[in-house]
Amino acid sequence: MAKNKLQLEYPLKSASVSVLWNKIGTPLGLSEWFANEVIVNNNKYLFKWNNYEETAYLLDIKPLMKIRFQWEDEIENNTYFELKVETNEITGEVTLVITDFTESNEEEDVILLWDKQIEELKRKTGMG
């Protein structure tokens, strides 16, 4: 079944791009809000949550801008999830743009999951 592309924007008004990047672009940063533990071996990332773990491959990284992963079990679907930092050139406001793929009947659940994760990111960093 084909998955739908989902793009979510989270304004982080008081965010520093370098601080935000440290939270989304490094294994240590990701382990503070996205997963309990992140283990990296070359371009293979093992994400661990309590009694669950999942492997993703790093597809693309542009420091201070974006990082893109593909879950190991989604390789045939040509889907990915991406965390991208956008800065408004006029206001200087920073937005975290999440791109993910979901089946249409799971879209609300995926949005709620990302909302919860980003709230955790904001809480851990003081970004709002």
Side-chain angles (χ1 to χ4, degrees), residues 4-22:
N4 301 324
K5 187 175 184 178
L6 180 65
Q7 200 160 51
L8 306 167
E9 293 186 8
Y10 296 94
L12 302 168
K13 294 175 182 59
S14 63
S16 151
V17 171
S18 60
V19 170
L20 179 57
W21 180 255
N22 283 334

Side-chain angles (χ1 to χ4, degrees), residues 8-75:
L8 306 167
E9 293 186 8
Y10 296 94
L12 302 168
K13 294 175 182 59
S14 63
S16 151
V17 171
S18 60
V19 170
L20 179 57
W21 180 255
N22 283 334
K23 298 299 179 201
I24 69 170
T26 67
L28 180 61
L30 287 166
S31 69
E32 291 179 18
W33 67 277
F34 184 74
N36 297 111
E37 185 178 4
V38 180
I39 300 169
V40 180
N41 185 1
N42 294 321
N43 71 334
K44 190 175 184 177
Y45 283 61
L46 178 63
F47 294 94
K48 293 184 173 189
W49 298 269
N50 298 326
N51 298 323
Y52 179 74
E53 59 185 48
E54 192 150 354
T55 300
Y57 295 97
L58 179 65
L59 297 181
D60 190 20
I61 186 167
K62 290 191 172 69
L64 301 174
M65 296 177 65
K66 72 175 183 176
I67 189 164
R68 182 182 288 185
F69 297 97
Q70 183 174 50
W71 294 116
E72 188 172 54
D73 61 357
E74 290 288 325
I75 290 173

Side-chain angles (χ1 to χ4, degrees), residues 68-85:
R68 182 182 288 185
F69 297 97
Q70 183 174 50
W71 294 116
E72 188 172 54
D73 61 357
E74 290 288 325
I75 290 173
E76 293 99 35
N77 294 331
N78 202 27
T79 62
Y80 60 88
F81 72 98
E82 180 179 85
L83 309 169
K84 184 172 159 185
V85 179

Side-chain angles (χ1 to χ4, degrees), residues 1-6 100-111:
M1 175 182 249
K3 293 191 171 191
N4 301 324
K5 187 175 184 178
L6 180 65
D100 202 351
F101 288 80
T102 181
E103 294 177 16
S104 53
N105 63 336
E106 295 178 350
E107 189 169 311
E108 283 184 33
D109 292 337
V110 170
I111 292 170

